[in-house]
Amino acid sequence: QGPLVESGGGSVQAGGSLTLSCRASGGIGHHKCVAWFRQSPGKEREGVAALYLYGTGRPYIADSVRGRFTMSQEKDEDTVHLQMNSLQPEDTATYYCAAKVFCVPWANAGDYTYWGQGTQVTVSS
């Protein structure tokens, strides 16, 4: 396993909810910007949300999921969560956790140094 480990994926019906978790080990060092990306077959990897571990600011949330998805950090732990509500079939994708040093800009996948193995989310209609 690498320094980022995702969990919590699964299958859910449209309108349902899932929470993904990403545990960051000490291997990410000062790469404290942790983000969620998703990718479905034939599409580019899309930024979903990002935040600074132990930061005080609000998370960055993509327009496509704002109002339905939120990102948070487990208190005093190097674990972040992606709470996904009102899921739709178009949210079906493999979701990845990633880390880099700075979050600005946050949504370019090519900027990230560390990646998790991904967890599948499937939303049926």
Side-chain angles (χ1 to χ4, degrees):
Q1 287 183 340
L4 298 173
V5 180
E6 304 100 335
S7 61
S11 297
V12 65
Q13 289 190 329
S17 298
L18 280 174
T19 298
L20 306 182
S21 298
C22 173
R23 179 176 58 83
S25 71
I28 66 170
H30 58 286
H31 294 72
K32 298 300 187 184
C33 174
V34 180
W36 287 99
F37 285 80
R38 65 184 182 183
Q39 189 169 24
S40 52
K43 294 188 177 181
E44 292 187 356
R45 196 164 290 194
E46 174 193 14
V48 176
L51 57 71
Y52 282 108
L53 286 176
Y54 303 99
T56 58
R58 293 181 177 182
Y60 302 90
I61 305 290
D63 290 343
S64 59
V65 301
R66 185 172 291 117
R68 300 189 297 123
F69 290 14
T70 59
M71 185 175 180
S72 61
Q73 180 184 352
E74 189 77 24
K75 182 176 170 56
D76 297 329
E77 293 186 14
D78 290 345
T79 298
V80 298
H81 304 292
L82 183 69
Q83 174 68 43
M84 306 184 294
N85 299 319
S86 301
L87 283 162
Q88 300 301 317
E90 53 265 33
D91 296 315
T92 295
T94 301
Y95 284 71
Y96 298 90
C97 183
K100 63 171 182 168
V101 176
F102 297 111
C103 279
V104 179
W106 69 271
N108 183 12
D111 293 341
Y112 284 78
T113 304
Y114 296 103
W115 288 89
Q117 80 285 358
T119 186
Q120 179 66 36
V121 171
T122 301
V123 184
S124 58
S125 58

